[in-house]
Amino acid sequence: VAGQPVPTERLENQRQRLQQTLAERPARAGGELDAQLRYTPGQPAVQAFTVRGLETPAAASETLAVALGIPSAARPAVRLRLDPEADPAAQARAIDQALLPLGLRAQAGEQGGLRFEVAESRWPQVRNSLAVQGEGKRFPAGRLHQVATDAAPGALAPQNWQLQDAAGAREALREVSEAQGRADTARRQARAVLEQERQALAGQQGAEGGDWAARFADDFAAVLQQGGSAREGGYRLQAGLAAAVSGVGRGRGERLLDGVG
């Protein structure tokens, strides 16, 4: 971009490394960073998509049956009502509620149609098995027909870059710059979560020092004394033991028992 020649081989190697990093994103981010580089701690990353035929506002009223694969008792088809007279936001909310049993979410799209989301791990299933039955208007009647879905593009698409000329390099740089801002935001959020967990763990470790070990030894000895023999103690003995050692790892338990002995 600055006019300095860069070997094509070097650019291609960088592109391949970036593509590999993006491919590893779900596993390396614990499933909490989506393709838009949005970090959602404690929540699964989602894949946004559109359904062809629903990406634009409805021109006529129509009731749809929607299913993932062949409907069953465990996961029956759900019914949606497309009403061109309804407020788009209100209609999107109603459809969102109707789709909850399928694990799908819906919201009004920028063009007045519908935009959908699903947990990223379930996107292949939705992409390959989402089916709709209509009334012969926007969608065919008679039976469920698989519909085409289009995934929302990710923040980075290095496979589409044209790096052989300056115009292509400038476009790639623009995409990288925007993605870098999102990545920085996600990194700050992740660090904040890790710091909270570190502080919580430090507080827990402080509370589980010598006092905790002493209480454990006393409780353990009391259970043994009250329980008597294995025949007499029976369930009461085992229940007490289970409560006393709950959450104690083997190594820690052995060290504590050595101290009691």
Side-chain angles (χ1 to χ4, degrees):
V1 173
Q4 299 298 322
V6 179
T8 302
E9 181 180 357
R10 177 182 171 189
L11 289 177
E12 186 57 34
N13 288 338
Q14 291 177 337
R15 185 216 302 265
Q16 291 178 3
R17 288 199 300 271
L18 178 56
Q19 285 184 256
Q20 180 65 28
T21 299
L22 293 174
E24 296 171 352
R25 169 188 55 81
R28 295 176 63 176
E32 297 180 355
L33 182 72
D34 67 13
Q36 296 293 331
L37 302 182
R38 295 174 301 188
Y39 176 61
T40 52
Q43 300 292 328
V46 298
Q47 174 63 59
F49 66 98
T50 55
V51 176
R52 296 183 196 177
L54 293 176
E55 72 274 32
T56 57
S61 297
E62 187 172 11
T63 298
L64 308 179
V66 181
L68 285 176
I70 300 175
S72 64
R75 181 165 287 177
V78 300
R79 294 196 171 274
L80 314 177
R81 179 68 179 173
L82 300 181
D83 183 358
E85 302 300 326
D87 175 76
Q91 182 171 235
R93 288 194 295 270
I95 292 175
D96 179 66
Q97 290 297 312
L99 290 174
L100 282 178
L102 300 181
L104 305 179
R105 305 303 305 265
Q107 57 185 289
E110 295 180 358
Q111 305 301 322
L114 292 169
R115 178 177 178 272
F116 301 90
E117 288 184 348
V118 67
E120 194 174 58
S121 60
R122 295 189 58 217
W123 166 239
Q125 177 194 11
V126 172
R127 180 186 59 209
N128 297 325
S129 66
L130 185 64
V132 175
Q133 174 188 336
E135 296 176 337
K137 299 174 183 178
R138 183 167 287 207
F139 293 93
R143 61 182 179 83
L144 289 162
H145 298 265
Q146 186 173 343
V147 293
T149 56
D150 296 304
L156 287 168
Q159 68 276 8
N160 297 331
W161 292 346
Q162 302 296 325
L163 302 176
Q164 294 80 9
D165 55 65
R170 280 194 293 270
E171 179 61 23
L173 180 61
R174 181 195 62 79
E175 194 173 308
V176 168
S177 298
E178 292 179 357
Q180 184 64 53
R182 298 185 186 186
D184 289 342
T185 298
R187 186 179 296 109
R188 287 194 297 271
Q189 292 173 330
R191 285 176 175 169
V193 171
L194 290 174
E195 177 60 21
Q196 291 175 355
E197 293 182 351
R198 186 195 66 78
Q199 293 178 0
L201 182 60
Q204 182 179 10
Q205 289 175 338
E208 291 184 355
D211 292 343
W212 182 91
R215 289 196 304 272
F216 171 81
D218 292 341
D219 293 343
F220 190 83
V223 168
L224 290 180
Q225 293 173 0
Q226 295 171 5
S229 66
R231 178 183 299 177
E232 296 170 353
Y235 174 79
R236 184 179 61 176
L237 173 59
Q238 297 206 18
L241 286 172
V245 301
S246 175
V248 180
R250 177 177 177 179
R252 187 170 190 178
E254 291 176 345
R255 292 194 299 271
L256 289 168
L257 289 174
D258 289 340
V260 173

